[in-house]
Amino acid sequence: EVRTTKPEERIDVNGRYWLERAGAGTRLEARLGEGWQDEERLLRVGVSWRWTSGDAVIEVNNPREKAQRFRLRCELRSETERTVRVAVDDGQERERTAGKERSVLDFGEMEISTGRHRIWMRAKAEPAPSGQADSRLLGVQVFRVEVEVLP
């Protein structure tokens, strides 16, 4: 899930769905790009997530005619403590440490110009194998991505 509107411009329906005010004028369009595993769920508790496979992309479009500031937050965890780096178009970079416990990492304020951009999420360490019966390589387990539009 990628949320892109200010909290006051949306109504959370549940952990998976929300409503956005169409005339907000301060929105960015975002979606998960390459480098993400398929969604996994624990239905009995209503939790879903996606693993990164090392490097993962969040594709962001700024339809406005001017640059837009935003704050990036990711709720995630890792099988082992590791540094997670995010970079906008391989430019603005931020690093945070992901631990074994699920937590929200705030990557701070960033800015993008008009048009399409890629936010890279990279785990500095090599992805850890997920287990013997599962051949995937797993980076970090991401429960939520939030791109908060700033004034």
Side-chain angles (χ1 to χ4, degrees):
E1 129 189 23
V2 180
R3 297 184 184 198
T4 60
T5 54
K6 293 180 179 180
E8 62 269 18
E9 299 291 352
R10 73 172 183 256
I11 298 170
D12 288 320
V13 176
N14 57 37
R16 187 172 173 88
Y17 297 101
W18 63 92
L19 302 170
E20 296 179 2
R21 188 171 74 82
T26 55
R27 55 178 282 157
L28 294 172
E29 300 160 0
R31 68 180 194 86
L32 300 180
E34 62 197 57
W36 297 88
Q37 301 286 351
D38 291 336
E39 182 179 43
E40 298 178 50
R41 294 183 185 146
L42 281 176
L43 295 176
R44 66 182 179 278
V45 292
V47 176
S48 64
W49 65 87
R50 287 180 186 258
W51 286 93
T52 65
S53 55
D55 291 355
V57 174
I58 303 164
E59 297 175 353
V60 180
N61 181 43
N62 177 11
R64 301 181 68 194
E65 294 181 8
K66 62 179 186 174
Q68 179 64 61
R69 291 178 336 124
F70 67 93
R71 176 180 297 279
L72 177 66
R73 291 183 192 92
C74 299
E75 185 175 357
L76 53 78
R77 64 172 289 282
S78 178
E79 288 293 319
T80 61
E81 187 172 291
R82 70 180 72 217
T83 300
V84 177
R85 181 169 58 99
V86 297
V88 178
D89 297 327
D90 288 328
Q92 304 168 69
E93 293 186 17
R94 307 284 192 280
E95 287 187 356
R96 302 292 183 266
T97 301
K100 291 183 176 186
E101 297 297 319
R102 180 175 169 177
S103 64
V104 176
L105 299 186
D106 185 342
F107 289 96
E109 294 182 18
M110 296 179 232
E111 184 174 280
I112 56 171
S113 60
T114 299
R116 298 187 182 282
H117 301 273
R118 294 163 66 89
I119 300 174
W120 288 91
M121 180 182 287
R122 296 183 168 116
K124 280 194 150 188
E126 288 294 316
S130 61
Q132 295 176 0
D134 188 346
S135 62
R136 298 177 301 164
L137 295 178
L138 304 177
V140 291
Q141 185 180 19
V142 181
F143 298 90
R144 180 173 53 93
V145 174
E146 184 173 8
V147 181
E148 178 188 357
V149 176
L150 301 172

